[in-house]
Amino acid sequence: MKKIFLILGIFLIVFIVWLSIPFNILVIGVDAYANQPTEGSRSDGLIVIRVVPYLAQVKMISIPRDTYAEIPCENYKQDKITHSHHFGGVQCTIDAVENLLDTKINYHVRFRFEDVMNITTLIGGVDVVSNHTFNQDYFDQEVFHFNQGQVYNLQGRMALAYTRHRKSDTAFKRDERQRQVIQGIAKKLVAPSGWKYVPQVYNYSKQHMDIAVNPIKALSVLPAFLMHQSNINQYEITGDGKMINGIWYFMPDEASLEQAREEFKN
């Protein structure tokens, strides 16, 4: 009997240690429409989420789609990082992000931006404070207006419009909007009042999205989202634009890139 308890105790300790190990999730939003295959599309949004379970902490950073980076599946030629998904799908995108941030991506989630529209509808929307004042149309069918500082319940077409706009401000602001909505979805689902939506979102995600995340490991993200906002830290890669052979690229500032590597190293 003592031997059994000893084995169970060792197993429990190993499990707790494993559950406490930090990990990185790459969230890939592609520009394919609902009736199009994801393969061959571009990664319109790239967000790395680092979960530090023993600190109940989450870090999030967006990688601008036009970042000038090496593309591993194209013999490490330098190009916009958004093209990594076009050339080599999820694996090439993971490799490009790992190479850029000098880290390890443990899991990934890939979705179309229409999936954000559908999921926000399923959960009754997410409340977000607009970070900019702008108008954004939905494929010339409907125009949505947002005022900076005002709270909006985003769902459906309105959520898609908010996350995709980038014409009147910057790519950084659009990246922030994407993080706001993703964070809002996660916080709503982990709150007790949002548990009723979990089966619907799970079924939808299983049918329409590419999710490669260990479900047990994913549970370690819950404390950070249930605790105060200060446990969710957001970072940016800063830099400048540059024209190379007539094409505009985002050139990351080396100091900013080094800080990102330090924060998201795995």
Side-chain angles (χ1 to χ4, degrees):
M1 184 64 70
K2 289 183 178 180
K3 188 175 181 180
I4 293 175
F5 280 118
L6 178 62
I7 293 173
L8 289 175
I10 293 172
F11 174 79
L12 183 61
I13 291 171
V14 171
F15 177 74
I16 292 174
V17 170
W18 173 76
L19 201 60
S20 301
I21 297 173
F23 58 95
N24 291 330
I25 304 173
L26 177 60
V27 179
I28 308 169
V30 299
D31 62 3
Y33 297 116
N35 59 344
Q36 295 177 326
T38 54
E39 300 308 322
S41 61
R42 295 168 299 181
S43 50
D44 209 33
L46 290 171
I47 300 175
V48 179
I49 301 174
R50 180 162 181 78
V51 182
V52 187
Y54 61 86
L55 295 177
Q57 184 184 71
V58 168
K59 301 177 182 181
M60 302 176 72
I61 190 168
S62 297
I63 301 173
R65 68 191 300 278
D66 296 321
T67 298
Y68 194 58
E70 294 180 340
I71 310 299
C73 64
E74 288 290 296
N75 297 318
Y76 288 88
K77 80 170 186 179
Q78 292 189 299
D79 197 351
K80 294 184 179 186
I81 201 167
T82 183
H83 293 157
S84 59
H85 191 272
H86 173 75
F87 291 133
V90 168
Q91 190 56 55
C92 187
T93 305
I94 290 174
D95 292 342
V97 172
E98 287 183 338
N99 186 64
L100 180 71
L101 295 183
D102 191 23
T103 191
K104 174 68 177 176
I105 298 299
N106 305 101
Y107 307 107
H108 75 267
V109 175
R110 179 177 62 177
F111 64 93
R112 297 174 174 87
F113 278 101
E114 278 77 10
D115 294 326
V116 172
M117 182 172 70
N118 295 332
I119 288 177
T120 53
T121 300
L122 281 176
I123 66 177
V126 293
D127 292 332
V128 166
V129 179
S130 178
N131 67 351
H132 182 55
T133 297
F134 63 92
N135 292 324
Q136 178 63 43
D137 67 282
Y138 178 81
F139 301 110
D140 298 322
Q141 298 177 31
E142 190 174 2
V143 177
F144 297 94
H145 178 75
F146 300 93
N147 287 315
Q148 185 173 353
Q150 186 171 329
V151 178
Y152 294 89
N153 180 264
L154 301 180
Q155 57 180 297
R157 293 180 174 183
M158 192 177 192
L160 184 63
Y162 185 75
T163 56
R164 299 208 72 174
H165 179 83
R166 67 172 181 150
K167 292 181 180 179
S168 68
D169 53 1
T170 65
F172 293 116
K173 285 293 187 180
R174 187 186 71 153
D175 292 342
E176 181 183 47
R177 288 190 281 274
Q178 292 174 359
R179 294 196 302 269
Q180 282 180 302
V181 173
I182 289 174
Q183 184 175 316
I185 292 171
K187 291 190 75 171
K188 188 160 189 177
L189 291 177
V190 301
S193 60
W195 291 350
K196 61 186 176 185
Y197 301 116
V198 171
Q200 293 171 281
V201 173
Y202 172 78
N203 289 332
Y204 178 89
S205 302
K206 190 175 179 181
Q207 292 179 39
H208 301 282
M209 297 166 61
D210 172 20
I211 300 179
V213 179
N214 185 301
I216 298 176
K217 190 76 169 174
L219 292 175
S220 60
V221 76
L222 296 181
F225 280 99
L226 289 171
M227 294 175 70
H228 193 267
Q229 181 75 17
S230 61
N231 280 51
I232 303 173
N233 301 314
Q234 301 198 35
Y235 299 83
E236 282 187 351
I237 297 175
T238 59
D240 293 303
K242 183 178 181 180
M243 295 293 290
I244 300 177
N245 297 325
I247 300 174
W248 190 91
Y249 296 92
F250 173 75
M251 311 300 289
D253 176 74
E254 193 58 36
S256 173
L257 199 53
E258 282 302 319
Q259 181 188 9
R261 288 168 177 162
E262 182 65 26
E263 292 291 344
F264 288 82
K265 66 182 179 182
N266 200 3

